[in-house]
Amino acid sequence: MDLDAITKYSALHAKPDGLVLQYGTAGFRTKAEHLDHVMFRMGLLAVLRSKQTKSTIGVMVTASHNPEEDNGVKLVDPLGEMLAPSWEEHATCLANAEEQDMPRVLMDISVKAAVNLQQDAFVVIGRDTRPSSEKLSQSVIDGVTVLEGQFHDYGLLTTPQLHYMVYCRNTSGQYGKATIEGYCQKLSKAFTELTKQAFCSGDEYRSLKVDCANGIGALKLREMEHYISQELSVQLLNDGTKGKLNHLCGADFVKSHQKPPQGMEMKPNERCCSFDGDADRIVYYYLDVDGHFHLIDGDKIATLISSFLKELLLEIGESLNIGVVQTAYANGSSTRYLEEVMKVPVYCTKTGVKHLHHKAQEFDIGVYFEANGHGTVLFSKAAEIRIKQLAKELEDKKRKAAKMLENVIDLFNQAAGDAISDMLVIEAILTLKGLTVQQWDALYMDLPNRQLKVKVADRQVISTTDAERQVVTPPGLQEAINDLVKKYKLSRAFVRPSGTEDIVRVYAEADSQENADSLAHAVSLAVFQLAGGVGEPPQPV
Ligand code: G16
């Protein structure tokens, strides 16, 4: 390791004095102007991780659902999954090392992690459409090159596409071809094969309005459109030609405000969906004939998918185990429906894809979705082999079901939650089952709920346990929440510090929207009072 070169180049990406950042729910996120040094250092770290794992490592420059002024970076591990927790700690140490200590901290990491510095390194880089992303990804490349790593810059990509590329490269192409064409071909082939099986392919199943959050999803869906236009016609809105990224649009806006994005004209019962800023989340929605807005979030997506998978398994007579993984944000009705009606085991993990993904790997078929629309399905190697074998051996209807499962496996991006891939899966299932968006929505009734944000001086004063459903510190806050929850019927509430924004998130559900709003507001006030709120106290919803 040429420490002189590292010191010299690091000075060109100097760390602002005293700035402390944490590798959070999905990497580092903050205002773009504070991230140059972090990008350079993550380029360095990606090289070490690549040498240590003898694999290609990914670096994605994005702040996903955050405002356009923010940016962020996360590393992608060899099988397309999120960075291992011990390396998140290395990332935090390296990002926070003062300029003069940085080369030493880098050396310490390579010793601690037993990195063979003689090993070759290869890093792939992707970025979203934020104005700051191009320059910041150049800083990542500077970090990679100073440690003499090889790299491929994919340029503009959705986050899940970068995860996919990493997975493909580290399985010698077995998972797919590590190009955009490879991605589009793999998904569109599976989609076409699946929808071919549908009996009803009337026009009502074939068109979809997509709000692209003015982000990368628009560019990448346009590329996919060409491959799927025979089966599905997509109308892209908020495609970035005029609006601001994530501003009054996108999956996060629609989910948290429970209303349509700006620029979306909806006819009654028309199927619409929203991606988030880096296209790793999707939510659906529609207006009923009375003009009421209905949101179909990650929970209902998980329900649709797991019931479809269960039906196919029943058809082929195979008892592979299915598990559904959710977080505390999952609507109480969804958990009840999955457990009591569908008889599927449900597990709750902390927020963050890495936690859900990890848990989902325990099943033959692990379905994981956060309520915010981030999720996918994982098939164990054994399950995949068995299904492929059955698709050859079985006959007639059973064979058809096994073939469908085979295509479903290919249609999911098993490296990460992927709005484009999930959209195609959902569209295929709705077509195959002949379901309208209203019929899908009617599977169960969501409990009215509300999410709020509270600004506090230091959100880390809140610590939680029990998959973030209980507060440990500050003292008295959980007791206050318990007392408030008791005042409402069918109620539940929890609070947790966000890992992507400088705020505390509050979630409440209750028997009516009025009560959910009132409970969320009361809990927000408790957070404000007991956890060091700043600015104006939270106002009623
Ligand atoms: C990221 C994570 C998600 C998480 C979300 C919000 O999403 O990938 O798992 O739900 O942040 O996290 P928090 O509540 O900690 O701020 P995205 O789409 O922004 O990358």
Side-chain angles (χ1 to χ4, degrees):
M1 215 188 282
D2 182 349
L3 294 182
D4 288 340
I6 296 169
T7 309
K8 188 171 134 206
Y9 284 96
S10 182
L12 302 174
H13 301 279
K15 174 184 176 295
D17 271 348
L19 180 67
V20 178
L21 298 168
Q22 180 87 26
Y23 198 98
T25 314
F28 294 102
R29 283 202 195 162
T30 188
K31 293 272 164 277
E33 68 258 30
H34 295 146
L35 280 168
D36 183 44
H37 69 294
V38 177
M39 297 291 166
F40 175 74
R41 294 172 184 203
M42 288 309 105
L44 299 173
L45 194 74
V47 171
L48 292 192
R49 182 68 172 150
S50 171
K51 286 176 186 286
Q52 192 226 21
T53 56
K54 301 190 180 69
S55 309
T56 296
I57 292 296
V59 181
M60 184 71 199
V61 176
T62 181
S64 190
H65 76 275
N66 293 48
E68 189 168 278
E69 304 69 48
D70 287 7
N71 216 321
V73 60
K74 68 174 179 181
L75 266 59
V76 177
D77 254 358
L79 295 181
E81 69 282 44
M82 305 290 261
L83 185 64
S86 59
W87 279 74
E88 288 191 359
E89 282 175 31
H90 297 325
T92 301
C93 282
L94 191 63
N96 293 327
E98 291 308 332
E99 207 47 48
Q100 66 281 7
D101 301 331
M102 200 277 283
R104 183 187 49 77
V105 172
L106 194 67
M107 275 307 287
D108 287 354
I109 294 170
S110 67
V111 171
K112 253 195 219 156
V115 176
N116 173 5
L117 294 171
Q118 306 312 315
Q119 180 70 39
D120 289 341
F122 199 86
V123 177
V124 291
I125 300 144
R127 64 170 196 271
D128 70 12
T129 53
R130 282 162 208 270
S132 58
S133 289
E134 190 170 355
K135 191 162 173 287
L136 290 174
S137 73
Q138 188 53 51
S139 304
V140 174
I141 293 172
D142 289 354
V144 173
T145 16
V146 78
L147 274 189
E148 291 171 13
Q150 302 286 305
F151 70 92
H152 175 77
D153 180 11
Y154 279 100
L156 293 167
L157 274 192
T158 70
T159 296
Q161 283 174 337
L162 182 80
H163 286 260
Y164 169 90
M165 301 303 173
V166 173
Y167 196 8
C168 291
R169 283 174 179 268
N170 289 317
T171 50
S172 313
Q174 263 184 38
Y175 188 67
K177 248 170 84 184
T179 59
I180 277 291
E181 295 74 43
Y183 170 89
C184 290
Q185 278 162 359
K186 179 177 177 184
L187 267 59
S188 61
K189 181 167 175 281
F191 181 66
T192 310
E193 289 293 320
L194 262 175
T195 45
K196 250 203 259 169
Q197 312 286 332
F199 293 118
C200 41
S201 51
D203 270 342
E204 64 176 302
Y205 300 110
R206 295 193 56 248
S207 71
L208 176 68
K209 284 186 171 167
V210 186
D211 153 34
C212 298
N214 290 316
I216 181 70
L219 302 180
K220 297 302 161 184
L221 186 52
R222 283 244 152 78
E223 289 173 355
M224 178 63 90
E225 209 181 346
H226 156 75
Y227 294 83
I228 53 161
S229 55
Q230 297 291 311
E231 290 79 27
L232 178 71
S233 110
V234 282
Q235 188 185 339
L236 277 62
L237 296 121
N238 299 322
D239 64 354
T241 44
K242 32 183 204 296
K244 210 172 163 188
L245 179 73
N246 295 329
H247 181 61
L248 304 177
C249 61
D252 196 65
F253 172 86
V254 173
K255 167 73 183 158
S256 42
H257 292 83
Q258 304 186 21
K259 63 180 188 194
Q262 203 173 54
M264 176 74 81
E265 275 173 31
M266 301 163 70
K267 295 195 199 101
N269 294 336
E270 199 173 40
R271 214 166 56 253
C272 305
C273 68
S274 284
F275 292 180
D276 71 339
D278 63 343
D280 61 3
R281 300 193 207 170
I282 184 168
V283 293
Y284 271 68
Y285 43 89
Y286 68 98
L287 284 185
D288 65 22
V289 283
D290 300 319
H292 294 132
F293 176 76
H294 295 253
L295 175 69
I296 303 183
D297 65 6
D299 302 336
K300 233 167 223 174
I301 295 175
T303 310
L304 177 78
I305 292 170
S306 11
S307 76
F308 180 68
L309 294 173
K310 257 197 105 171
E311 280 165 27
L312 290 181
L313 288 177
L314 208 68
E315 182 76 47
I316 60 175
E318 198 61 25
S319 60
L320 296 172
N321 71 21
I322 300 190
V324 176
V325 188
Q326 304 183 316
T327 69
Y329 292 103
N331 195 278
S333 297
S334 75
T335 315
R336 249 190 309 280
Y337 182 84
L338 283 160
E339 284 179 337
E340 290 169 19
V341 180
M342 283 185 52
K343 311 278 182 222
V344 181
V346 181
Y347 301 83
C348 182
T349 70
K350 281 160 61 169
T351 297
V353 184
K354 57 188 170 219
H355 302 295
L356 291 104
H357 192 94
H358 188 68
K359 184 73 195 170
Q361 284 172 326
E362 290 176 13
F363 307 94
D364 295 326
I365 303 179
V367 180
Y368 75 82
F369 266 88
E370 293 184 288
N372 63 23
H374 196 148
T376 187
V377 177
L378 305 182
F379 295 83
S380 71
K381 252 296 133 279
E384 199 175 323
I385 292 169
R386 180 79 187 124
I387 289 165
K388 289 206 162 125
Q389 187 191 358
L390 290 170
K392 286 201 195 95
E393 284 172 5
L394 294 173
E395 292 185 354
D396 307 326
K397 270 177 83 180
K398 288 186 174 203
R399 183 192 175 100
K400 190 175 153 188
K403 283 228 156 262
M404 278 194 201
L405 268 174
E406 214 182 351
N407 286 312
V408 169
I409 293 174
D410 281 345
L411 191 47
F412 274 113
N413 182 345
Q414 293 190 55
D418 181 332
I420 296 179
S421 145
D422 290 342
M423 178 193 88
L424 295 177
V425 171
I426 293 164
E427 290 303 311
I429 296 177
L430 294 178
T431 309
L432 285 161
K433 291 178 67 124
L435 276 181
T436 63
V437 70
Q438 302 77 11
Q439 287 166 326
W440 174 20
D441 186 32
L443 283 178
Y444 60 84
M445 277 266 285
D446 272 323
L447 274 171
N449 59 87
R450 178 65 62 194
Q451 268 194 60
L452 296 175
K453 301 179 186 182
V454 184
K455 188 100 182 107
V456 297
D458 173 13
R459 66 195 200 273
Q460 302 311 335
V461 299
I462 297 188
S463 62
T464 61
T465 184
D466 186 24
E468 302 176 320
R469 289 172 290 196
Q470 296 282 321
V471 169
V472 178
T473 59
L477 181 53
Q478 187 56 50
E479 291 72 17
I481 296 173
N482 292 346
D483 289 345
L484 291 167
V485 166
K486 275 188 212 138
K487 295 185 182 162
Y488 300 88
K489 280 196 201 132
L490 300 177
S491 60
R492 186 168 73 88
F494 67 90
V495 307
R496 54 174 285 278
S498 161
T500 60
E501 297 175 54
D502 189 13
I503 43 111
V504 176
R505 295 197 195 280
V506 171
Y507 177 88
E509 61 186 35
D511 59 338
S512 70
Q513 191 60 54
E514 206 187 347
N515 286 343
D517 290 350
S518 156
L519 175 59
H521 175 240
V523 173
S524 301
L525 278 176
V527 170
F528 189 85
Q529 282 153 9
L530 297 169
V534 291
E536 287 296 305
Q539 297 302 306
V541 182

